[in-house]
Amino acid sequence: MSQSKLDDLFDYTEERCLWQFFSRTWDREENIEGVLGQVARLLTGQEPLRGTPQERLFYADALAMANDVRERFPWASQVDHEEIHFLIDGLKSRLVDTVITRSTNRELNHHLY
């Protein structure tokens, strides 16, 4: 896995994707997993999941992201499916670390939410 490709994806996501900043830890985890799972499917040519309203919501965010990634990063069309999955897994880990684990927002885990 290329660190520069992961950096590209992370920088793009931090700049353009608000779904990572929902107000609770479980929301953030769910969005990171759901949207990026759909992005991986789209970038590897798999049919996206659209059976539930939640899957359709993730798909809508993922479609915009996947299209942007293909447009902005020429390497996106040149990497194999295995590398896409490694990049998406790396991005998930990095986002969880940044927006959940190291977040100083105490409301993320407030007991009344």
Side-chain angles (χ1 to χ4, degrees), residues 9-21:
L9 288 175
F10 182 77
D11 292 344
Y12 168 83
T13 305
E14 285 288 343
E15 178 185 319
R16 308 280 302 174
C17 302
L18 294 177
W19 46 259
Q20 65 180 312
F21 295 115

Side-chain angles (χ1 to χ4, degrees), residues 25-87:
T25 294
W26 65 268
D27 279 331
R28 291 182 182 196
E29 290 169 341
E30 189 174 79
N31 282 317
I32 290 168
E33 186 63 37
V35 173
L36 293 180
Q38 294 279 46
V39 168
R41 294 181 74 81
L42 290 166
L43 291 178
T44 59
Q46 293 179 294
E47 187 67 28
L49 303 173
R50 292 179 279 199
T52 67
Q54 189 71 34
E55 288 172 340
R56 289 189 292 276
L57 176 65
F58 293 149
Y59 169 69
D61 286 329
L63 184 60
M65 183 175 178
N67 288 337
D68 277 353
V69 166
R70 286 185 193 112
E71 183 179 309
R72 291 170 183 252
F73 309 116
W75 55 258
S77 62
Q78 299 168 354
V79 296
D80 62 26
H81 292 188
E82 186 175 319
E83 187 171 3
I84 291 291
H85 289 291
F86 282 124
L87 288 167

